[in-house]
Amino acid sequence: MRAMDSIFSNYRPVRMILLFNLLAFTLLFLFEERYDQKILLSGLIVMALIYLSFTIIKWRTWGDEYLFLIVSMLASIGIMMIFRLEVQLGIKQIQWFMGGIVLFFISYIVYQKIRFWDRLTIFYLILSLTLFIITLAFGKKISGATNWVNIGGITLQPSEMIKVIFIFFIASFFKNRGSIKIPNLQIKGKKIKIKDTTVMTLIAYTHMGFLVIQREWGGALLFFLVYFTLLYIFESDLRLLLINAGIAIVGGLLGAKYVYHIQVRISTWLDPWRDISGKGYQITQSLFAIGSGGFFGTGIGLGSPQYIPEAQTDFIFSAICEELGIFGGAAVVLLYFILVYRGMKIAMKVDDTFHKAVALGITIMFGFQTFIIIGGVIKLIPLTGITLPFISYGGSSLTTSFVALGILQAISKNNFEEEEGEI
Amino acid sequence: MFELISTILKYIFIVIIYYFIYGIIRLIYLDISTTSYTGKKISGKYPYLKLINQREKLKFKVDESYVLDGDKTIGRTPKNEIFIQDPFLSGEHAGIAIDHGICYIFDMGSKNGTFVNDEKISKKRHELTNGDAIHLGQLNFLYVESME
């Protein structure tokens, strides 16, 4: 009875992650007879890092215990896949993972310490617009989208950071909406009153406009979905919602009719087989990979995910499906489900509008981002290049996701009222 | 050789991931069952039973505390006011009676017995005082009197 009890103890899930990593890195060590000690060492680092961070969260009772566990499982699956595809990228990804965990704790502490996040509405606006302008001015073009900035040898993707800033902006807007004063316009002597929601709508579409100029369709879609969902939750005016939906539909239809890039995406989505070696190459390779995996997959190292283009970033889900099968892919989707569920639960427990909106925004962002890219690679919706949070290779994506997770973790502690009372 | 290991491991990986998901969902489920009860948890007016066991080690649903705002029976079947699906509890295990502000506990003919401060109690009423340790089935409770 005692032994059975301890199997189900609280630490069990973290042991599962450690076991997973142990087996995965042993397998990678044997793969292609590499026998590289670096691989075993990086495996040990990943395991130690996860166990240590989880112990810190539990010991200091830093809020929700499950968020970090779910995310480390996702990151472990991602690291294993990237290592299998290319060892060099895998080692880099582990460095990003270490940096991500450090940023996770930093953002947790900073978010807890600073109590005036909701008063910086204008600051968020200026920050995100500055970042957009920097991207446009100094941006590099990589695989179709101009969204990379080179700062001192490190290439960054500012749009990843803007996602979090944008959520903060919307949240602080909803918190302070009564107190925001907008000067009346004077045209030909007539005074025209501008509603605060009109201003926010314009700002939100400015963000999306910048992303469209950068040709980052997936990002624009993600911003719209996050913005629209938050509007649906916090705004009672049905007319505004309908107007926004109308703008989105008209914008989408115009894009589909006149913008060449969107036309290509839609036609390859409807029929990728027509131009299998050209425009439909990515999506068909992805479908072949998922199909060849079957229920349990080929096994790590036994499939051929190197034929999938961008297998380590956008198409990593296809690579997972090929080598771990449909069951592996469904497990990844399930993990995201629990993550989103946990996030919603945290948002529901918080009373303050600002924290509620931030928690919801981050959760919705994770959820929609996963939906857009997984839906894209399985040909459920038109494909748009966007990363799979916590799994895809990429420093900007991984670190930003960890920063967002740190903020969610800080909100889950939910001690905002108590400390405010003491001051 | 590598092929064989990898083929075996792919099943193990799937089992590990799903077992992990099961573990997380289970822990989340146990968590929910307490948070939904916090509303009527301890009002300060009535005495209550506080669970001492670590809840995550028990494989059935059990609350962190049970308020004793009237006569109660404890057992495994749903017709009890306090019903806990501990396999070591009897259908109707023990009863709590409140008489003139004094709380009594009595056994209802349980198989494994009811213990107060490690002493087995009979079907006769046994008066409870603040800080008494109550043991039944796999459960350990602490009897806490009201704050007033």
Side-chain angles (χ1 to χ4, degrees):
Chain A
M1 208 59 219
R2 282 269 154 239
M4 279 296 279
D5 280 351
S6 65
I7 284 177
F8 288 100
S9 81
N10 229 351
Y11 278 91
R12 202 62 200 169
V14 76
R15 285 186 212 161
M16 286 286 132
I17 299 176
L18 297 186
L19 183 66
F20 181 89
N21 276 305
L22 185 73
L23 292 173
F25 280 97
T26 317
L27 194 65
L28 290 166
F29 180 68
L30 300 171
F31 179 49
E32 286 178 345
E33 301 187 341
R34 280 177 185 144
Y35 307 127
D36 191 351
Q37 284 179 349
K38 246 191 252 166
I39 297 175
L40 287 183
L41 187 71
S42 22
L44 277 177
I45 291 171
V46 170
M47 284 159 70
L49 210 59
I50 291 174
Y51 194 77
L52 200 72
S53 315
F54 178 65
T55 319
I56 290 174
I57 291 170
K58 231 181 131 59
W59 170 57
R60 302 291 303 264
T61 57
W62 275 0
D64 196 276
E65 297 163 20
Y66 312 115
L67 283 178
F68 183 76
L69 281 178
I70 300 163
V71 163
S72 358
M73 192 59 166
L74 287 171
S76 303
I77 297 172
I79 289 171
M80 177 178 77
M81 260 351 269
I82 293 162
F83 243 104
R84 177 252 172 276
L85 288 162
E86 216 180 313
V87 177
Q88 285 313 314
L89 289 184
I91 289 171
K92 262 194 184 162
Q93 177 79 350
I94 287 176
Q95 289 166 357
W96 288 122
F97 181 64
M98 285 158 73
I101 287 187
V102 172
L103 279 173
F104 167 76
F105 283 116
I106 291 174
S107 58
Y108 175 89
I109 294 165
V110 170
Y111 193 87
Q112 282 271 326
K113 286 275 174 274
I114 296 177
R115 296 279 161 179
F116 49 82
W117 289 112
D118 49 349
R119 275 170 254 155
L120 301 174
T121 320
I122 300 297
F123 172 73
Y124 299 134
L125 182 62
I126 293 167
L127 189 63
S128 59
L129 290 182
T130 316
L131 281 172
F132 268 130
I133 289 163
I134 289 173
T135 324
L136 273 185
F138 306 101
K140 261 200 308 184
K141 198 168 179 176
I142 296 178
S143 62
T146 321
N147 52 9
W148 293 84
V149 172
N150 196 327
I151 299 168
I154 310 162
T155 37
L156 287 169
Q157 217 173 342
S159 63
E160 294 283 340
M161 267 167 292
I162 297 170
K163 279 194 294 204
V164 181
I165 302 168
F166 181 61
I167 290 168
F168 271 64
F169 169 73
I170 297 182
S172 63
F173 172 82
F174 279 119
K175 165 94 185 187
N176 306 315
R177 50 180 316 175
S179 57
I180 296 175
K181 290 242 163 29
I182 294 148
N184 291 339
L185 262 187
Q186 275 193 322
I187 297 171
K188 289 177 194 167
K190 278 185 197 165
K191 271 190 184 173
I192 301 165
K193 216 181 159 204
I194 304 171
K195 276 194 198 161
D196 50 357
T197 42
T198 322
V199 174
M200 193 193 55
T201 312
L202 280 176
I203 291 168
Y205 285 107
T206 314
H207 279 76
M208 284 164 228
F210 271 113
L211 286 169
V212 168
I213 295 170
Q214 291 172 23
R215 303 243 169 90
E216 213 181 311
W217 315 111
L221 180 63
L222 181 66
F223 269 62
F224 175 75
L225 288 171
V226 170
Y227 161 73
F228 191 69
T229 316
L230 285 177
L231 199 66
Y232 173 72
I233 294 166
F234 290 101
E235 173 64 55
S236 50
D237 187 4
L238 189 69
R239 232 182 53 209
L240 189 67
L241 275 175
L242 289 175
I243 291 169
N244 273 290
I247 294 172
I249 292 167
V250 170
L253 286 177
L254 283 178
K257 205 156 164 47
Y258 296 110
V259 182
Y260 174 70
H261 285 87
I262 299 180
Q263 282 174 344
V264 171
R265 302 285 168 113
I266 291 176
S267 66
T268 50
W269 168 57
L270 292 171
D271 186 13
W273 313 106
R274 201 169 3 156
D275 190 5
I276 200 163
S277 58
K279 288 165 192 147
Y281 183 72
Q282 285 188 326
I283 186 80
T284 45
Q285 286 302 323
S286 157
L287 291 176
F288 285 142
I290 295 169
S292 64
F295 279 117
F296 287 98
T298 54
I300 296 297
L302 303 179
S304 42
Q306 63 271 20
Y307 293 123
I308 313 170
E310 316 263 344
Q312 72 276 22
T313 55
D314 295 358
F315 284 89
I316 196 156
F317 186 74
S318 316
I320 292 171
C321 277
E322 177 167 6
E323 301 213 316
L324 287 175
I326 290 296
F327 281 108
V332 170
V333 175
L334 262 176
L335 285 168
Y336 282 113
F337 262 113
I338 318 174
L339 183 67
V340 169
Y341 169 77
R342 247 357 248 179
M344 294 278 179
K345 198 85 192 163
I346 289 165
M348 276 161 74
K349 275 191 207 159
V350 190
D351 293 321
D352 183 80
T353 315
F354 178 75
H355 297 303
K356 207 190 240 323
V358 169
L360 267 173
I362 289 170
T363 309
I364 293 165
M365 184 185 84
F366 286 152
F368 278 130
Q369 202 175 333
T370 312
F371 173 75
I372 291 171
I373 187 60
I374 291 185
V377 300
I378 64 173
K379 206 172 91 66
L380 181 70
I381 56 170
L383 178 71
T384 49
I386 200 169
T387 53
L388 191 57
F390 300 109
I391 294 189
S392 281
Y393 172 75
S396 298
S397 161
L398 194 69
T399 45
T400 319
S401 301
F402 267 109
V403 168
L405 189 80
I407 294 163
L408 198 59
Q409 183 85 35
I411 295 171
S412 78
K413 174 95 175 161
N414 196 8
N415 57 353
F416 301 106
E417 280 91 34
E418 297 162 28
E419 291 194 13
E420 219 113 285
E422 280 171 29
I423 300 161
Chain B
M1 189 58 196
F2 176 78
E3 265 118 78
L4 182 71
I5 300 171
S6 179
T7 312
I8 298 167
L9 275 184
K10 75 181 184 193
Y11 295 107
I12 297 175
F13 280 140
I14 302 259
V15 170
I16 292 175
I17 301 175
Y18 277 96
Y19 190 71
F20 171 82
I21 293 174
Y22 163 75
I24 291 277
I25 290 179
R26 189 181 157 278
L27 288 173
I28 289 176
Y29 168 74
L30 287 172
D31 224 34
I32 294 165
S33 54
T34 49
T35 45
S36 57
Y37 275 92
T38 41
K40 55 172 182 179
K41 217 175 172 180
I42 301 146
S43 58
K45 241 174 169 176
Y46 301 105
Y48 60 93
L49 293 178
K50 188 174 179 354
L51 187 75
I52 305 171
N53 299 61
Q54 270 189 295
R55 252 180 327 125
E56 52 269 16
K57 288 193 176 170
L58 300 168
K59 267 173 279 166
F60 41 85
K61 244 170 132 172
V62 56
D63 292 346
E64 198 67 65
S65 56
Y66 292 94
V67 179
L68 306 174
D69 50 356
D71 291 1
K72 297 261 157 114
T73 57
I74 306 169
R76 212 183 56 235
T77 51
K79 60 181 172 185
N80 298 288
E81 279 92 358
I82 297 173
F83 104 89
I84 302 162
Q85 281 174 313
D86 180 353
F88 289 84
L89 281 184
S90 297
E92 285 184 319
H93 197 102
I96 303 247
I98 293 176
D99 201 358
H100 292 98
I102 298 166
C103 204
Y104 300 95
I105 188 165
F106 54 95
D107 198 85
M108 290 170 78
S110 67
K111 219 172 173 185
N112 294 318
T114 308
F115 300 83
V116 175
N117 298 331
D118 292 333
E119 273 174 57
K120 194 169 179 172
I121 59 160
S122 64
K123 289 186 185 182
K124 266 200 230 158
R125 285 177 166 194
H126 181 283
E127 193 185 325
L128 285 173
T129 50
N130 195 16
D132 275 352
I134 299 164
H135 173 80
L136 29 90
Q138 296 175 60
L139 304 164
N140 288 306
F141 285 107
L142 192 71
Y143 173 74
V144 185
E145 224 139 66
S146 58
M147 330 265 177
E148 288 166 64

